[in-house]
């Protein structure tokens, strides 16, 4: 049995991923529950919403339990195995599954073929940027567990932006987006920060209380779409020092370019003035030569006239 086999469905806990995703799935739907574990969630859909639920599960013991609860159960790995399913579904449900995929975009494209054109993907995904993880990292710690945000079997990590990027790249458009909130009281955050020599500010409080800070799990519904998300950067994270240097280069590089441009303009003006000066000196020289010639000619005429007398 896996660590997820004994998961319980608490119908009265509205601030939970199972409650929120359960209420996104229409009554009477055909549902493919990928990562169905022991089939507890799908069983509730069958009993309370008259859904027809099939499951895919990689763990053999969980799959045996799920077969007692669901219509059909396929013991498969959606990333590795060929999916030879007999039905196209109204709903594909992936509850806390996408983060376990090594190549989530490829896997989502693969399972989308079993979704009706008007069907929906319903998902829940843990948020790696929850304040509990941020506070842990500030202390230089990474503590994995059997379940939770740092489940040791998680292969891909998500914040709100990454959820949209991955689903968009796989050919889905999110039409409903919600989250399970697990806010940390500010008094505890202040204490945790004080332990590492930091103080809270109003800006930090806003970050802590934002969706990416307070959301424990993201919940949503997505439809097949032709939209594409932007590609990943070549390297991540971007080195802060390198980025600062690049910003300085851009800032001062532009100023240098502007100064260089002004220098070229001034040089052109100087060259134009020098050219005009040379032209003026040439004209003056010709005028002086002409005047001297006329003066000399006039003197010669006077001398000849004097001589003739």
């Amino acid at each position: 049995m896996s660590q997820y086999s004994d998961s319980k469905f608490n119908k009265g806990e509205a601030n939970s991923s199972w409650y929120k995703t359960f209420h996104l799935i229409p009554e009477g739907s055909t549902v493919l529950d990928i990562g169905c574990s022991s089939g507890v969630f799908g069983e509730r859909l069958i009993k309370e919403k008259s859904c027809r639920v099939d499951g895919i599960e990689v763990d053999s013991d969980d799959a045996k339990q799920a077969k007692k609860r669901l219509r059909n159960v396929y013991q498969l790995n959606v990333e590795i195995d060929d999916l030879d399913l007999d039905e196209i579904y109204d709903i594909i449900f992936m509850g806390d599954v996408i983060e376990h995929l090594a190549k989530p975009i490829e896997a989502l494209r693969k399972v989308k073929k079993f979704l009706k054109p008007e069907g929906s993907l319903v998902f829940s995904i843990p948020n790696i940027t929850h304040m509990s993880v941020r506070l842990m990292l500030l202390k230089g710690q990474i503590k994995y567990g059997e379940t939770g945000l740092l489940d040791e079997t998680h292969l891909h990590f998500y914040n709100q932006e990454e959820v949209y990027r991955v689903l968009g790249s796989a050919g889905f458009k999110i039409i409903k987006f919600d989250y399970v909130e697990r806010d940390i009281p500010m008094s505890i955050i202040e204490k945790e920060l004080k332990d590492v020599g930091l103080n809270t500010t109003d800006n930090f409080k806003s970050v802590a209380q934002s969706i990416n800070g307070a959301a424990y799990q993201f919940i949503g519904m997505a439809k097949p779409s032709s939209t594409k998300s932007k590609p990943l950067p070549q390297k991540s994270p971007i080195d802060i020092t390198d980025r600062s240097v690049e910003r300085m280069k851009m800032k001062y590089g532009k100023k240098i370019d502007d100064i260089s441009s002004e220098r070229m303009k001034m040089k052109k003006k100087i060259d134009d003035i020098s050219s005009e000066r040379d032209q003026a000196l040439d004209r003056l020289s010709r005028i002086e030569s002409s005047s001297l010639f006329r003066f000399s000619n006039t003197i010669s005429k006077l001398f000849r006239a004097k001589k003739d007398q």
Side-chain angles (χ1 to χ4, degrees):
M1 302 293 284
S2 73
Q3 64 266 46
Y4 315 108
S5 305
D6 296 328
S7 299
K8 305 297 182 184
F9 190 113
N10 186 344
K11 190 174 181 180
E13 190 179 350
N15 187 42
S16 71
S17 62
W18 273 20
Y19 179 92
K20 288 177 180 288
T21 53
F22 183 83
H23 289 289
L24 286 175
I25 298 173
E27 290 191 14
S29 302
T30 54
V31 180
L32 177 62
D33 184 351
I34 298 178
C36 66
S37 187
S38 57
V40 174
F41 184 83
E43 183 180 38
R44 296 297 288 266
L45 289 173
I46 293 170
K47 290 180 177 180
E48 297 186 27
K49 288 199 167 187
S50 301
C51 293
R52 288 161 290 164
V53 184
D54 296 338
I56 292 179
E57 175 55 43
V58 69
D59 184 271
S60 59
D61 290 330
D62 279 7
K64 288 177 184 177
Q65 292 296 316
K67 286 178 180 178
K68 300 174 184 178
R69 296 179 167 121
L70 309 183
R71 184 177 64 171
N72 297 300
V73 175
Y74 306 92
Q75 188 185 337
L76 296 169
N77 184 319
V78 294
E79 291 199 271
I80 298 172
D81 298 324
D82 292 330
L83 302 183
D84 185 16
L85 309 182
D86 298 327
E87 190 160 351
I88 304 298
Y89 297 88
D90 299 312
I91 299 289
I92 290 179
F93 175 60
M94 300 181 79
D96 290 355
V97 169
I98 297 174
E99 66 276 10
H100 294 271
L101 303 175
K103 295 183 177 180
I105 294 171
E106 293 181 13
L108 285 165
R109 287 173 179 165
K110 186 176 180 181
V111 302
K112 190 172 76 167
K113 292 182 288 187
F114 298 95
L115 185 65
K116 293 178 181 178
E118 69 279 8
S120 300
L121 169 72
V122 174
F123 63 86
S124 63
I125 303 173
N127 171 29
I128 193 62
T129 59
H130 186 262
M131 280 305 300
S132 59
V133 179
R134 300 191 197 199
L135 293 171
M136 180 190 293
L137 291 174
L138 276 174
K139 294 180 179 180
Q141 300 172 350
I142 300 178
K143 295 181 179 179
Y144 285 95
E146 290 187 5
T147 60
L149 297 179
L150 287 178
D151 182 321
E152 64 175 346
T153 61
H154 288 180
L155 300 177
H156 197 105
F157 300 100
Y158 295 84
N159 67 348
Q160 184 180 13
E161 181 183 9
E162 184 65 0
V163 172
Y164 275 84
R165 187 196 71 82
V166 168
L167 292 182
S169 297
F172 288 96
K173 181 180 180 181
I174 295 175
I175 59 169
K176 292 182 181 179
F177 192 83
D178 194 4
Y179 59 95
V180 173
E181 185 174 0
R182 194 170 293 179
D183 204 1
I184 300 176
M186 195 53 61
S187 58
I188 294 177
I189 292 176
E190 288 174 350
K191 181 183 180 301
E192 292 290 312
L193 289 177
K194 201 169 185 179
D195 289 345
V196 293
L198 299 173
N199 295 315
T200 55
T201 64
D202 289 340
N203 285 342
F204 186 88
K205 290 177 182 178
S206 296
V207 170
Q209 294 166 353
S210 67
I211 291 179
N212 276 327
Y216 194 78
Q217 288 163 293
F218 300 116
I219 311 297
M221 175 181 277
K223 294 280 190 181
S225 171
S226 58
T227 59
K228 298 293 182 182
S229 296
K230 63 182 179 181
L232 287 170
Q234 287 188 340
K235 181 182 178 182
S236 180
I238 297 171
D239 186 276
I240 297 174
T241 303
D242 288 348
R243 184 167 56 185
S244 297
V245 169
E246 287 301 317
R247 284 175 179 168
M248 290 179 66
K249 284 181 179 179
M250 290 178 63
K251 178 181 178 181
Y252 293 105
K254 185 177 184 308
K255 288 185 177 181
I256 291 170
D257 290 342
D258 291 343
I259 291 171
S260 178
S261 177
E262 287 298 319
R263 185 180 67 83
M264 294 299 292
K265 289 178 182 177
M266 291 179 66
K267 184 177 182 302
K268 186 176 183 307
K269 286 182 180 179
I270 292 170
D271 290 343
D272 290 344
I273 292 171
S274 296
S275 177
E276 290 177 4
R277 183 203 60 189
D278 292 342
Q279 291 175 14
L281 287 174
D282 184 62
R283 288 196 300 270
L284 180 61
S285 176
R286 289 199 298 272
I287 291 170
E288 288 177 345
S289 298
S290 177
S291 298
L292 183 60
F293 175 77
R294 288 196 300 272
F295 178 74
S296 175
N297 192 37
T298 300
I299 294 298
S300 297
K301 287 180 179 178
L302 289 174
F303 272 111
R304 283 198 298 273
K306 185 72 174 176
K307 186 176 180 182
D308 292 341
Q309 290 177 354

